[in-house]
Amino acid sequence: MFIFGEKINTTEGTDAAFEEAQLLYNQYIGKFEKHEGWELWNHSLSDSSFQSNIIKDHNCQNIINMISEAVKQYLIQINHTQDTIAGFDITGAWLTHTIANESARQHNHGSSDLSGVYYIQSNPDTDGNLYFVSSDSIRTAHKLYQFIGNQHDILPIENTLTLFPGWVTHGTRPHNGDNPRISLSFNVSLQYK
């Protein structure tokens, strides 16, 4: 689907990737940390420095394959071919751990071509939604568009993967559940021809 002119793609994950992601999460229970300088209500991370790539560090081939297939499908949907893209690399990946009353502040992933989130543990009835914000300032400031929302929410559903351009501003609504929401976030860089 296109949201505010940006391609946002949500697909179902694979059983093999889901099982691998749960095993990966189990290795980090009790090891999540807050990013220095963020407000205390922000979620915790497997690497608060964003320097590691958890799926490459742990050789999570099923997750890598799932993300790779989703990226290929995304590129086809926006009319890229082998003539325009030489390849791509998952340049960073980390786990997020969100407990009651925590959320993710609005942010973007800067120069990353694509970013994504894969839900490992969630409950759509209580977990805060992933939301995207329109980058069009007129949409929020002009009376003509005052009744059109400038944010779009996506439910956090286990074993689903959402891909979006890295520059799109996004965040998560506050988590209201008893069990933590666990997700894998990642960035992808494309090699253009």
Side-chain angles (χ1 to χ4, degrees), residues 18-139:
F18 189 59
E19 183 178 318
E20 190 172 63
Q22 290 172 319
L23 292 172
L24 182 63
Y25 164 61
N26 288 338
Q27 294 180 48
Y28 281 84
I29 293 174
K31 298 178 184 175
F32 289 92
E33 53 192 33
K34 298 283 188 181
H35 181 71
E36 187 176 332
W38 282 1
E39 300 86 354
L40 293 178
W41 49 262
N42 275 280
H43 58 73
S44 297
L45 304 159
S46 59
D47 175 14
S48 64
S49 71
F50 297 104
Q51 298 302 309
S52 69
N53 188 328
I54 195 169
I55 58 176
K56 287 185 178 179
D57 294 346
H58 291 273
N59 195 28
C60 297
Q61 199 56 52
N62 293 314
I63 297 171
I64 292 168
N65 291 345
M66 176 191 63
I67 292 171
S68 296
E69 186 57 35
V71 168
K72 289 174 189 174
Q73 292 305 312
Y74 184 101
L75 293 172
I76 289 169
Q77 292 170 5
I78 58 172
N79 298 321
H80 277 285
T81 68
Q82 293 177 347
D83 294 331
T84 59
I85 302 291
F88 57 87
D89 185 35
I90 302 167
T91 56
W94 58 95
L95 292 172
T96 65
H97 182 272
T98 310
I99 60 171
N101 301 315
E102 290 184 340
S103 60
R105 65 177 10 201
Q106 282 187 20
H107 65 285
N108 63 54
H109 293 217
S111 62
S112 294
D113 293 302
L114 293 172
S115 293
V117 60
Y118 176 59
Y119 290 101
I120 301 165
Q121 181 174 295
S122 67
N123 182 339
D125 295 329
T126 59
D127 291 1
N129 292 348
L130 170 65
Y131 68 92
F132 296 95
V133 180
S134 171
S135 61
D136 185 354
S137 61
I138 295 298
R139 181 178 298 278

Side-chain angles (χ1 to χ4, degrees), residues 161-174:
L161 175 109
T162 300
L163 278 175
F164 51 92
W167 64 79
V168 175
T169 300
H170 60 284
T172 64
R173 308 276 182 215

